Amino acid sequence: MLHERRERDWVERTGWWSSVNRVPLTYEKARAYGLPATEGKRCDPRWPPFARYGFDIEHPLQQEVEALEPNELQRLVLAAVDPYIDRDVLAQQIARMSIALCLRPGGDFIDGVRDQYG
């Protein structure tokens, strides 16, 4: 399928990922959030695989995850990736970024040194 080829190409080009795990918007979640539904295309080859997440395969529909409130969408994505985060590596990267931001002109560290030592 086209989306699988695109995903595989993206993984190969970036070299960042060893695998990709999808985070489905299940029927239960869509109902709980009250997301609007529109009629889906019966001929869409992507429908049968998605229907296994609790949808009626005979009545295709689509609900856009983008209809979620941005903060809730962010919460769901972060919860899905949380088990894969290496906290030590994350802390090191945050420290590196903080140092880089502080050492550039206009950064807090440089401004503080300039204020203190003129």
Side-chain angles (χ1 to χ4, degrees), residues 69-99:
E69 291 293 325
N71 289 341
E72 184 60 13
L73 177 57
Q74 180 181 19
R75 187 191 72 72
L76 290 172
V77 170
L78 291 176
V81 300
D82 186 67
Y84 304 99
I85 295 174
D86 183 323
R87 301 282 181 222
D88 293 333
V89 172
L90 178 61
Q92 291 170 4
Q93 289 300 104
I94 290 172
R96 284 187 198 137
M97 289 173 58
S98 297
I99 290 169

Side-chain angles (χ1 to χ4, degrees), residues 6 12 17 24 27 40 44 52 60 67 73 83 89 91-92 96 99-100 105-106 118:
R6 285 182 183 158
E12 289 171 3
W17 320 104
Y27 179 70
D44 188 339
R52 72 174 185 253
L73 177 57
V89 172
Q92 291 170 4
R96 284 187 198 137
I99 290 169

Side-chain angles (χ1 to χ4, degrees), residues 2-117:
L2 180 61
H3 68 281
E4 290 171 342
R5 286 194 307 263
R6 285 182 183 158
E7 182 180 287
R8 194 170 39 252
D9 177 62
W10 179 75
V11 168
E12 289 171 3
R13 282 187 296 121
T14 62
W16 294 344
W17 320 104
S18 58
S19 66
V20 175
N21 296 324
R22 294 176 181 265
V23 181
L25 178 64
T26 63
Y27 179 70
E28 290 79 17
K29 285 181 185 175
R31 286 189 56 176
Y33 289 113
L35 299 181
T38 58
E39 186 176 346
K41 299 175 186 173
R42 287 189 181 276
C43 61
D44 188 339
R46 297 172 296 176
W47 174 246
F50 282 110
R52 72 174 185 253
Y53 293 111
F55 296 99
D56 180 354
I57 197 163
E58 296 301 321
H59 298 95
L61 60 86
Q62 59 188 43
Q63 292 170 301
E64 303 298 330
V65 70
E66 293 87 356
L68 285 170
E69 291 293 325
N71 289 341
E72 184 60 13
L73 177 57
Q74 180 181 19
R75 187 191 72 72
L76 290 172
V77 170
L78 291 176
V81 300
D82 186 67
Y84 304 99
I85 295 174
D86 183 323
R87 301 282 181 222
D88 293 333
V89 172
L90 178 61
Q92 291 170 4
Q93 289 300 104
I94 290 172
R96 284 187 198 137
M97 289 173 58
S98 297
I99 290 169
L101 290 173
C102 289
L103 292 179
R104 68 180 186 174
D108 294 338
F109 179 76
I110 291 295
D111 290 346
V113 170
R114 189 178 354 225
D115 292 345
Q116 186 169 355
Y117 298 106

